Structures are given as structure tokens and as C-alpha cells.
Amino acid sequence: MHALFSALPPMERGTVWLVGAGPGDPGLLTLHAANALQQADVVVHDALVNAECLSLARPGAVLEFAGKRGGKPSHRQRDISLRLVELARAGHRVLRLKGGDPFVFGRGGEEALTLVEHGIPFRIVPGITAGIGGLAYAGIPVTHREVNHAVTFLTGHDSSGLVPDRINWEGIAKGSPVIVMYMAMKHIGQIAANLVAGGRSPDEPVAFVCNAATSEQAVLETTLARAEADVAAAGIEPPAIVVVGEVVRLRSSLDWIGALTAGRRLAPDPFGSRERKDPA
């Protein structure tokens, strides 16, 4: 074993690690995440954690499902948080494994605050969030110098399951060249209408990346005006990351999975800008 692995921290009994598992591909697990899987007595995992990641748990570890999915029967968040406290107080080494990053629309902060409330020691291990890693697996960068110098991440529903009314849709429509949305597919019609009403072009590119970074990954490219109808026609379902902006056009050049597995011919100049001087 490489010396780096032996230098990774041990999980102490009675502690909880809140760990991001990344968007799907187990190769995107961090070393800390892999280290935790090899030590934990109990792995309390979300619905979006890939089964291949869970297969890396040490023999004898208990895998406990605590998933939350919009519109489906789910564990109450408070119950999940208190379960982590209960397991830690029983002397277990507890791994709370979440898809993506625990602090990016993952309720990791809520769970950590409950641990603080009950005096439970914990560690935070960030993961690759789907809004970056999942889009990269679709060949869509969240930033590109010819397109944007800012990006907005938002959630498509609040705790009530509705489109968040505290989001300044007009401000985002006018101020953010690229918008990355989590949990937005259910309300995409209303969200698209909000963005168009705020000033976005109905023809602006939109991409849905479903089951990102897994063998089931599927990508739908459309526009704001067509998004709701095209999602229904395609029959795609969550989980999905939605991205709005000109960066979607880069997929014709950067769909590296399509090139490697399906022989897709990539376009070297998606914006027709070769005649421009290459910026420093």
C-alpha cells in the first residue's frame, strides 16, 4: 500500500463522517471517502449513492438506507439526523455517505448542526458535486472564457416541493450567463417561463444530464422554449442536472464519452471563433 494511504486519518468510534460520494462514478471518490468506506461500522447512505461506491465498504459493515427523493416516500430529515446521533452514541464509526457534495444542496449542514447540538464529533469530507462533475461527464464545462465569467447554482424546489419563491428569477436571468439547477426537472416548465419572463431568450440552449457519471447516463439537449415538451417526449426521469447557457453548445466538441464509446466525431470549433486571436 502506498504510504499516502497509511497516513490517512482513522475513524474513531463514536464519531460521524459526513462524506460526499461524487456524482456516480466510484473513480470520483476522494481518498478520504474511500478510506472511510474501508473503516466504517455503519454506512448511512442516500438514494443517489451509486451501488458500486457502496460495494467498497469493508466486509461486515452495515449499509443503512436513508434516501430522500422528491415526490416519493422518504425519511424525515430530522429522523435521519437523530439516527446519526444514535449510532454514534452506540459507539459505532458512522459514515453518512451522500451523492455529490454534502454541503451543496445535500442537507449536510443540517445534519452537522444536529451533531453539534448533541456533542457528537464529526468530520466533513467534500465530494465532487453533480453540477460540476456530472456536467463534465456530459462534455459541458460550467465555465468557458468565450461564454461566461460567472455561474449560478440553484435548486428547483424548496422544502415544500414547490419552485422556490425566494429566488430572484429576473436577477438570475439577467445576471448569470450560465445557470446550473439541481432537482429542477419536475418544475422545468415554470422555471423556464420564469427565466424567459426575466429576459432570457426562448432559444437559449438547455441540457438535462440524467444519472450523471454512471453507465445509465443520458443527455437531452433542448431550449428553454422546448424544455418541458422535450422532457415529456423523451421520457427521461430524475435524478438530473439541468444547465442553461451557451456552454451547452460546447458538448458538440467536448462529449468525450460519446467520442470514446460511440465514435462520435467532435467539432473542433463550436463557436466558429477560430479566426480570433487566442487570448493569453
Side-chain angles (χ1 to χ4, degrees):
M1 180 180 290
H2 193 281
L4 175 63
F5 289 90
S6 62
L8 293 174
M11 290 187 77
E12 302 293 342
R13 295 190 178 278
T15 66
V16 177
W17 285 20
L18 300 171
V19 177
D25 186 343
L28 298 180
L29 288 166
T30 64
L31 291 177
H32 279 311
N35 178 46
L37 281 163
Q38 288 295 299
Q39 297 185 71
D41 300 312
V42 183
V43 180
V44 182
H45 64 92
D46 278 353
L48 297 182
V49 174
N50 193 331
E52 293 182 56
C53 295
L54 294 174
S55 71
L56 299 176
R58 71 171 180 83
V62 174
L63 303 181
E64 189 168 305
F65 177 77
K68 294 181 70 66
R69 295 291 295 273
K72 298 181 180 180
S74 302
H75 293 75
R76 289 166 49 90
Q77 183 58 57
R78 184 64 176 169
D79 292 340
I80 296 172
S81 299
L82 291 176
R83 177 59 175 160
L84 300 178
V85 172
E86 178 184 25
L87 290 168
R89 284 182 170 168
H92 297 301
R93 293 168 291 195
V94 184
L95 168 57
R96 175 62 168 125
L97 193 62
K98 294 175 170 287
D101 181 284
F103 277 7
V104 182
F105 303 118
R107 301 186 179 92
E110 297 172 45
E111 293 174 3
L113 286 172
T114 300
L115 297 175
V116 172
E117 176 187 352
H118 292 273
I120 304 298
F122 65 95
R123 175 186 287 266
I124 304 296
V125 178
I128 298 175
T129 185
I132 296 174
L135 292 184
Y137 267 52
I140 302 172
V142 293
T143 66
H144 186 76
R145 286 195 294 177
E146 291 188 46
V147 175
N148 65 311
H149 294 87
V151 59
T152 295
F153 296 88
L154 61 86
T155 176
H157 68 74
D158 58 21
S159 58
S160 69
L162 302 175
V163 176
D165 57 11
R166 289 186 291 178
I167 290 178
N168 183 346
W169 292 102
E170 182 178 1
I172 289 174
K174 292 180 177 178
S176 184
V178 173
I179 306 166
V180 178
M181 297 182 282
Y182 297 69
M183 298 167 285
M185 183 179 286
K186 179 179 179 181
H187 300 301
I188 192 59
Q190 182 180 343
I191 291 170
N194 289 347
L195 293 173
V196 171
R200 291 305 258 255
S201 168
D203 297 324
E204 183 156 15
V206 178
F208 294 79
V209 184
C210 303
N211 296 305
T214 73
S215 60
E216 304 299 317
Q217 177 173 294
V219 182
L220 171 66
E221 296 181 57
T222 180
T223 64
L224 278 176
R226 296 275 323 156
E228 184 175 24
D230 285 351
V231 164
I236 58 175
E237 296 182 351
I241 285 290
V242 186
V243 56
V244 178
E246 291 297 311
V247 289
V248 173
R249 300 190 193 281
L250 283 157
R251 187 163 189 268
S252 65
S253 297
L254 303 179
D255 178 18
W256 57 277
I257 291 180
L260 290 174
T261 63
R264 179 175 183 177
R265 188 180 181 92
L266 300 180
D269 189 25
F271 299 126
S273 57
R274 276 186 147 184
E275 68 277 6
R276 300 180 190 176
K277 183 177 179 181
D278 185 33

